[in-house]
Amino acid sequence: GAGAPGGPGSVVFTSARNHTLQSGAPLARVEGVTLRQTGGSGRSCVLTPKGSLELCACDVSSQSGLCVEVTDAACPVIRNCRVHEGAAAGIWFRTGGCGLVEGNEITSNGWSGVQISEDSNPTLLRNAIHNNKSAGVISFNGGRGLAAYNDISCNGKGGVQVRSGARPELRANRIHGERSFGIWVYERGLGRFVGNEIVDNAWSGFQVEEGSAPTVIGNRLHGNRSAGIVVYNRGSGVYEWNDISGNGRCGVQIKSGSGPCFRFNRIHHERQAGVLTAEDGTGVLEDNDIYDNQWSGVQTEGPSDPLLRRNRIHHNGGAGFIAYQNGSGLLEHNHIYDNKKYGVQSKTGGHPTVRSNDIHDKTYGIYLTENGAGVFEHNRIHSLSAARPGTGIYVSADCSPVLSNNEAPTGGDEDGDAPGLGQGGQHAQAHGQADAETPPGTPPAPAPAAAGGALPLLGADGGAALAEDAAPSSP
């Protein structure tokens, strides 16, 4: 049925038993009307199985099913419409459908705002997609699609979901205020994510899991309540040139057998560590700038074994790098400096390989306690404190590292010899070692007082203890 004509949207078409509008014409245009599906048949309000329908400035809703369904060879243009309160999705492109969705408000639908599946490849431009019960946009079962310049917010199950072999491209979208993840890629999802702003979401900004491998370049991830990026449960992918800061936990978490590659990112001002690897997490961290995080720059908790190469790790509140609880890792050619505690720390069974790095920090360049181990060779170690010119390496009595050909402060005795390992370092293997400072029976000097004159925490043996011994909980 149809209501009386008037201004845009005042003509109302309704159907209780069938599609309100079905178009398979090569060219068709519908403008300025209200389309309602009011029955319980499960039919979509608008169905276009082929042809090119142009739907402009319309109000579309469905009490029964989808608001708009695009299938097969159809290629519609949906522009400046309000698509809302569908019992199912707002718009679903499936079985190869394509088209342009531009300038619409897509809101308050029972499923996702826009669904893309089965090799469909629409373009979504400058839409406001918000307050849908599931995701704002989901691409799944081999779906593709380009989404650019959209504002995506306040959806129930994430701003964007990508799963089951889907490979969309998202560019320059703002994804914010979501009730869970900003972007969630899972079940072997792929995709390319470039230049998006992913901010202020209730969980992580970007979560990758279950064999998924997206490409994530040049995004800003800030103010998310959990981590900026979480890669876990065998996730991977490439993450380059992103700015990750000010999130509620770590900037990056790599867990559960995941092996991503992070290059050229800035990871800074996080409330916990810059990067945490745990639970068999591996991966590659290359050429990143990791700084001003409240805990350590990089934490590796065992068993995990990342590769760090050519990173700048500096001005962090704990150590530059810490391996603990049997964590390991390979560090090569990194510049680690001006961290609040130590350059590199190994404790509670940590055993990294630290080779050919430039380490200069205010207390110890390398600090080993509580059965800390590892291989430390060919590093250049400087002290930034004139009051502690000989504090390059500290090894406590219960540690068994291999120290080889490190260049550390002299700090020798009156005859110019390097101090012996003594009682504290009797288990260390030192080859060509310039300075492993472990005076017999002497505990390590405490770290400098924190801002405001607070004293550092002391361990049972008088050594400085980390405030962040426990790893952050799962997101």
Side-chain angles (χ1 to χ4, degrees):
S10 63
V11 176
V12 181
F13 294 90
T14 65
S15 175
R17 299 175 61 183
N18 209 329
H19 306 292
T20 305
L21 171 64
Q22 181 170 342
S23 175
L27 291 172
R29 178 182 174 89
V30 177
E31 182 173 2
V33 301
T34 296
L35 301 168
R36 298 277 186 263
Q37 215 294 337
T38 60
S41 63
R43 299 294 183 94
S44 53
C45 182
V46 177
L47 171 65
T48 173
K50 61 181 179 178
S52 181
L53 168 67
E54 187 173 355
L55 196 65
C56 297
C58 293
D59 188 294
V60 184
S61 66
S62 174
Q63 295 177 12
S64 175
L66 305 167
C67 290
V68 180
E69 183 177 4
V70 182
T71 69
D72 303 315
C75 190
V77 174
I78 304 169
R79 182 179 283 132
N80 299 331
C81 295
R82 188 164 187 262
V83 181
H84 64 103
E85 296 176 303
I91 303 173
W92 190 353
F93 291 86
R94 60 185 185 85
T95 59
C98 61
L100 172 64
V101 179
E102 182 177 17
N104 303 281
E105 182 183 16
I106 304 170
T107 182
S108 304
N109 295 288
W111 296 357
S112 297
V114 180
Q115 298 189 171
I116 304 166
S117 66
E118 302 151 313
D119 210 38
S120 296
N121 192 24
T123 298
L124 315 180
L125 294 179
R126 291 182 288 275
N127 301 283
I129 305 172
H130 61 94
N131 291 104
N132 298 285
K133 190 172 183 179
S134 187
V137 177
I138 180 169
S139 185
F140 64 105
N141 290 351
R144 294 187 287 161
L146 168 65
Y149 305 104
N150 299 284
D151 189 280
I152 304 172
S153 67
C154 301
N155 299 286
K157 296 183 179 178
V160 176
Q161 290 188 24
V162 178
R163 66 176 175 86
S164 51
R167 53 196 189 282
E169 181 168 353
L170 275 75
R171 289 183 172 270
N173 301 282
R174 188 165 190 264
I175 302 167
H176 62 103
E178 296 295 347
R179 298 169 194 166
S180 59
F181 307 107
I183 297 175
W184 184 16
V185 186
Y186 60 109
E187 294 179 6
R188 299 188 179 276
L190 302 170
R192 185 175 176 86
F193 304 82
V194 180
N196 301 284
E197 185 175 13
I198 306 166
V199 299
D200 299 327
N201 298 292
W203 296 359
S204 299
F206 204 119
Q207 178 126 339
V208 179
E209 57 180 296
E210 297 172 342
S212 298
T215 299
V216 182
I217 300 174
N219 302 278
R220 178 175 177 261
L221 299 105
H222 176 80
N224 300 289
R225 191 171 297 175
S226 185
I229 298 177
V230 176
V231 187
Y232 85 112
N233 194 10
R234 305 179 311 283
S236 61
V238 175
Y239 306 79
E240 296 182 336
W241 302 107
N242 301 287
D243 189 279
I244 305 167
S245 70
N247 297 288
R249 293 185 179 177
C250 302
V252 173
Q253 289 187 15
I254 303 171
K255 304 174 72 174
S256 307
S258 298
C261 180
F262 282 81
R263 295 192 188 100
F264 309 115
N265 301 283
R266 295 174 67 228
I267 304 170
H268 59 102
H269 293 96
E270 300 295 357
R271 295 182 183 176
Q272 295 182 356
V275 179
L276 169 70
T277 69
E279 301 170 12
D280 291 307
T282 59
V284 176
L285 304 172
E286 289 184 333
D287 300 296
N288 301 286
D289 197 5
I290 303 170
Y291 65 96
D292 278 327
N293 299 291
Q294 291 188 20
W295 291 8
S296 296
V298 178
Q299 295 184 191
T300 175
E301 174 188 332
S304 60
D305 189 20
L307 167 62
L308 282 72
R309 186 179 289 138
R310 298 185 305 275
N311 301 284
R312 294 174 64 226
I313 306 173
H314 59 100
H315 294 94
N316 296 288
F321 172 91
I322 177 172
Y324 62 106
Q325 295 180 14
N326 296 310
S328 56
L330 171 61
L331 285 71
E332 293 183 329
H333 306 292
N334 300 284
H335 189 190
I336 303 171
Y337 65 96
D338 215 5
N339 296 286
K340 187 174 182 180
K341 292 191 173 179
Y342 318 108
V344 174
Q345 184 176 12
S346 177
K347 59 183 290 187
T348 57
H351 53 283
T353 298
V354 182
R355 180 184 299 132
S356 301
N357 300 280
D358 194 358
I359 305 170
H360 48 107
D361 271 294
K362 295 178 180 178
T363 54
Y364 290 95
I366 296 173
Y367 188 78
L368 309 178
T369 58
E370 302 175 54
N371 295 302
V375 176
F376 304 84
E377 57 188 12
H378 301 289
N379 300 288
R380 296 182 67 245
I381 304 168
H382 316 269
S383 173
L384 296 182
S385 172
R388 299 177 62 79
T391 55
I393 301 172
Y394 178 82
V395 181
S396 71
D398 55 1
C399 296
S400 306
V402 174
L403 306 172
S404 177
N405 297 304
N406 298 288
E407 179 185 337
T410 56
D413 58 21
E414 293 181 354
D415 297 326
D417 296 329
L421 293 176
Q423 179 181 354
Q426 60 187 354
H427 301 296
Q429 301 179 48
H431 307 286
Q433 188 60 45
D435 181 11
E437 181 182 343
T438 52
T442 303
L455 293 175
L457 298 173
L458 296 179
D461 62 352
L466 279 180
E468 67 267 33
D469 287 348
S473 59
S474 299

